[in-house]
Amino acid sequence: MSEDKAKLEEKIKKASQLLFLRRHRNPGVGEWELRKVVGSDYRAVLKALDERLDSLGLTVKEVEHEGKPRFLVTVKGRPPLELEPGLGWMRVDSLAGLAMALAFLTAHGGRAPPAEVESFLEGKFPKRRAKSLLAGFLEEGYLELGKGGAYEIGWRTKAEVDLSELARRIISSAPRSASSENPSQPP
Amino acid sequence: MPAATIRERVVDAFRKVEAGEASPFSWDVKASAKALREELGPAPDKDDLIDDAKAVNALSGIVGAQGKEVEFIASSSVLNPFMLEKSVDSLDVEALASALWQSISPSVDIPQVTVEALIASSTWSPSRKRIAWSERTSAPLPKADVKKTDEFGPKVDAIVDELRAAARDEEIDYVSFIKRGDLVERAYLLSFAITDGRVLLNVDPISGKITIKPSKRRVKTSASVVIVLEELPIE
């Protein structure tokens, strides 16, 4: 193995350790950490890592977080497993709460006052549960607080969720009477 | 009370747009720009110019928000937001969860939970109930029975001296050091020595291992490092 190849291998190992082992509350790693640990050619290293992850159904994604690039590994495409309570990743009601919050924000141009989002979630969850779900989504980066205090789509949602697919699936799953009711209503 | 001038109305509108209380398209930007120009008049004084600049800045913020919303709507391809909201109302929790599950590519990572940490979490305080994040920092203190009394200073001095004797200018493992006595009390005392610059703390960015060593000269630090005792690998 040439010296360059050996160096690349070493850097791929370092990058994968940074990306896979969560050291902060949220997944992913900032550009500065990659630059510090892997080196200035970290993008080439991430590309090489991405090619290897492809066969496992995973991919390296870049997303903007607080104006800076952040990198994380996600499942490539949709998760191959069926959703079931024992999956252990996120509770079913948390998934539903997140779907509701994201759908509400999508329907309101990407931002809405916290009280309105909370009130929307209270349609399906008790007030206290709605509050705690939203607090969790904020903490996990699925939602963000904008400058004016409005809820906005978070960096993690941008990395993980296909919002147009979510909207399409919600509308197509709804009973026909609900989805066709007042279809000409303007946005 | 409604805002009196067009400048105040523009600034107020921008605040509402930023707070998500109003759509950026609910404001006629072109008419506002014209009205602002008229309100400024031919001979504005310094205060007028300052207020006008604030209003123009707010107006540009509204234009920016319009751009963002157009970009968002275009990227999310939602043709009928009203229908989306109604559809959410008509679905049950399972159907909503399923819709998200089919639209998500979850991030993949491994929380650094060791076997030791798992054992520690069950044996350290088996009856401990889940503590809310907001209460965590204050929760262990009553147990440690450490108070800022006259004996507090000497206790910090003693733990720094102990560290000096143990470390001999080398870095030593934080966890094994605090485990030598009452874990919570020693961690609490050390935190003051660290803030005071008498002890240097280092967290390895790769392994997460925490090491400490006595400082040769006292350099106070304002940086904070959160160490959650429950998450340490304590046997």
Side-chain angles (χ1 to χ4, degrees):
Chain A
M1 193 187 290
S2 72
E3 196 178 327
D4 282 353
K5 208 169 176 185
K7 266 187 187 171
L8 178 66
E9 288 297 318
E10 193 57 34
K11 286 185 174 185
I12 289 174
K13 283 178 192 168
K14 282 182 180 175
S16 65
Q17 193 173 332
L18 275 178
L19 286 162
F20 279 113
L21 291 181
R22 186 192 291 195
R23 297 173 326 291
H24 310 293
R25 189 171 296 173
N26 286 316
V29 60
E31 184 188 33
W32 70 272
E33 281 178 289
L34 279 164
R35 201 181 282 277
K36 186 179 166 194
V37 177
V38 179
S40 57
D41 58 344
Y42 70 91
R43 279 187 185 274
V45 176
L46 289 183
K47 194 170 174 242
L49 175 63
D50 189 47
E51 282 164 13
R52 297 207 184 169
L53 292 176
D54 188 60
S55 59
L56 296 172
L58 304 174
T59 187
V60 179
K61 270 194 191 161
E62 178 179 351
V63 66
E64 192 185 298
H65 180 215
E66 293 171 350
K68 293 171 189 161
R70 189 177 178 90
F71 300 86
L72 66 164
V73 175
T74 72
V75 170
K76 194 168 190 176
R78 304 282 89 81
L81 294 172
E82 289 295 314
L83 177 63
E84 52 180 83
L87 205 59
W89 173 70
M90 206 190 230
R91 285 168 51 159
V92 167
D93 63 342
S94 301
L95 278 168
L98 183 55
M100 285 182 82
L102 295 180
F104 189 80
L105 289 177
T106 304
H108 287 79
R111 69 169 71 176
E116 284 185 18
V117 185
E118 203 177 302
S119 161
F120 188 62
L121 260 70
E122 281 170 25
K124 304 243 184 265
F125 299 101
K127 192 180 175 80
R128 207 168 156 177
R129 181 69 183 138
K131 259 183 184 293
S132 75
L133 280 172
L134 289 169
F137 301 150
L138 273 179
E139 202 172 271
E140 290 158 359
Y142 286 110
L143 300 182
E144 281 172 1
L145 270 181
K147 279 181 194 166
Y151 277 164
E152 294 179 358
I153 302 287
W155 65 273
R156 200 162 163 193
T157 295
K158 289 173 192 163
E160 297 182 10
V161 183
D162 182 342
L163 288 174
S164 44
E165 177 70 9
L166 174 66
R168 197 184 67 74
R169 289 207 176 260
I170 287 175
I171 291 172
S172 63
S173 313
R176 201 162 171 78
S177 59
S179 58
S180 61
E181 190 181 316
N182 206 355
S184 58
Q185 177 77 20
Chain B
M1 194 166 59
T5 65
I6 183 74
R7 290 171 198 154
E8 286 168 342
R9 288 211 296 275
V10 169
V11 171
D12 189 52
F14 179 50
R15 187 197 57 74
K16 282 184 178 161
V17 167
E18 274 211 305
E21 292 165 8
S23 163
F25 292 102
S26 62
W27 197 255
D28 188 339
V29 174
K30 206 171 172 183
S32 303
K34 198 176 164 196
L36 280 175
R37 184 74 196 90
E38 282 165 9
E39 196 175 72
L40 192 63
D45 62 16
K46 195 176 74 181
D47 288 342
D48 281 334
L49 287 170
I50 291 171
D51 287 346
D52 185 61
K54 282 181 188 167
V56 170
N57 189 42
L59 207 56
S60 69
I62 293 175
V63 174
Q66 287 181 347
K68 267 191 181 173
E69 189 160 324
V70 167
E71 195 184 328
F72 178 80
I73 291 169
S75 64
S76 61
S77 323
V78 177
L79 298 176
N80 194 333
F82 178 78
M83 189 189 284
L84 175 60
E85 228 175 296
K86 290 294 285 180
S87 302
V88 170
D89 278 341
S90 66
L91 289 175
D92 61 16
V93 166
E94 284 74 21
L96 286 165
S98 175
L100 181 61
W101 184 246
Q102 287 161 342
S103 323
I104 197 167
S105 309
S107 58
V108 178
D109 63 2
I110 307 162
Q112 297 199 57
V113 178
T114 60
V115 173
E116 288 85 351
L118 284 172
I119 295 167
S121 68
S122 61
T123 56
W124 181 48
S125 180
S127 60
R128 183 172 62 86
K129 288 180 182 166
R130 186 176 167 81
I131 302 168
W133 279 107
S134 55
E135 295 163 15
R136 278 199 177 193
T137 48
S138 58
L141 300 186
K143 193 183 170 194
D145 198 25
V146 181
K147 295 183 183 71
K148 288 186 183 180
T149 56
D150 289 345
E151 59 181 8
F152 185 74
K155 275 188 172 180
V156 177
D157 293 341
I159 201 160
V160 174
D161 289 342
E162 189 192 331
L163 177 66
R164 283 212 177 92
R168 297 179 189 279
D169 288 336
E170 297 290 328
E171 284 190 345
I172 64 166
D173 182 47
Y174 170 79
V175 174
S176 54
F177 184 75
I178 59 170
K179 271 166 58 184
R180 292 179 187 179
D182 182 326
L183 181 118
V184 179
E185 178 175 339
R186 288 168 71 82
Y188 186 57
L189 293 168
L190 259 182
S191 72
F192 281 88
I194 292 164
T195 306
D196 207 25
R198 296 161 73 184
V199 172
L200 300 174
L201 178 132
N202 183 40
V203 183
D204 188 294
I206 300 285
S207 64
K209 187 181 174 187
I210 307 167
T211 53
I212 45 172
K213 77 172 189 178
S215 172
K216 284 180 182 159
R217 59 190 178 89
R218 187 180 287 198
V219 186
K220 279 202 173 192
T221 176
S222 57
S224 21
V225 176
V226 177
I227 300 171
V228 183
L229 287 179
E230 293 98 303
E231 291 176 6
L232 289 176
I234 299 159
E235 285 169 26

